[in-house]
Amino acid sequence: MGVRKRERAEQTKEANKSIAFAKLNNCPTSPRKMRLVADLVRGQKVENALNILKFNTKEASGRIEKLLLSAIANWQAKNAEASIEEAELFVKEIRVDGGAMLKRLRPAPQGRAHRIRKRSNHVTIVLGSNNNTQSN
């Protein structure tokens, strides 16, 4: 590897230390229902987002809460020496994309059939750190 390429790789590695992400694929909930919960935590601090998700009654909130805890653990693995409180982590980005769709048939009157689309989604959470973004 060349010198410039190695230096560039080290710079991107340092820049990526301030962010962490987690992904949930093929979650068997419709994307529309998942986006309702995702919109609640977008841009929130991690502690506040966990409280919102814990006390929300929707089924999707439990799945996003578990995914958020996974993203926090990923951040801790990258930054073993730093503490979460000092880093001021927040939900930088949360995306809900449509996943695979199971197509089923339901009987309808007069010998017809209606198609039922059982939707799934992919959720991606990106956490950012306030301290590192302000120092750059």
Side-chain angles (χ1 to χ4, degrees), residues 1-11:
M1 191 184 298
V3 175
R4 276 184 283 162
K5 195 172 184 181
R6 188 179 312 116
E7 288 175 353
R8 181 73 178 144
E10 289 172 4
Q11 286 175 353

Side-chain angles (χ1 to χ4, degrees), residues 88-125:
E88 296 179 15
L89 289 178
F90 68 101
V91 180
K92 188 174 186 178
E93 181 181 347
I94 181 165
R95 272 193 325 270
V96 180
D97 303 319
M101 205 181 308
L102 298 175
K103 293 174 180 157
R104 300 288 180 257
L105 292 177
R106 165 143 308 158
Q110 299 180 357
R112 294 191 192 101
H114 292 303
R115 181 173 282 174
I116 303 295
R117 294 186 307 254
K118 296 191 173 192
R119 299 172 188 270
S120 68
N121 62 55
H122 308 310
V123 185
T124 307
I125 290 184

Side-chain angles (χ1 to χ4, degrees), residues 22-37:
K23 238 183 139 171
L24 174 64
N25 284 332
N26 294 320
C27 180
T29 309
S30 72
R32 186 175 180 179
K33 291 177 184 175
M34 192 66 88
R35 280 188 195 109
L36 288 173
V37 179

Side-chain angles (χ1 to χ4, degrees), residues 12-24 44 46 67-80 82 84 87-95 123-130 132-133:
T12 55
K13 189 175 179 183
E14 274 301 312
N16 286 340
K17 267 196 165 187
S18 65
I19 63 167
F21 74 97
K23 238 183 139 171
L24 174 64
Q44 299 283 338
V46 168
L67 186 64
L68 182 58
L69 290 171
S70 175
I72 293 169
N74 291 343
W75 185 87
Q76 283 179 326
K78 275 186 181 180
N79 305 293
I84 297 174
E88 296 179 15
L89 289 178
F90 68 101
V91 180
K92 188 174 186 178
E93 181 181 347
I94 181 165
R95 272 193 325 270
V123 185
T124 307
I125 290 184
V126 179
L127 298 181
S129 176
N130 276 343
N132 293 353
T133 56

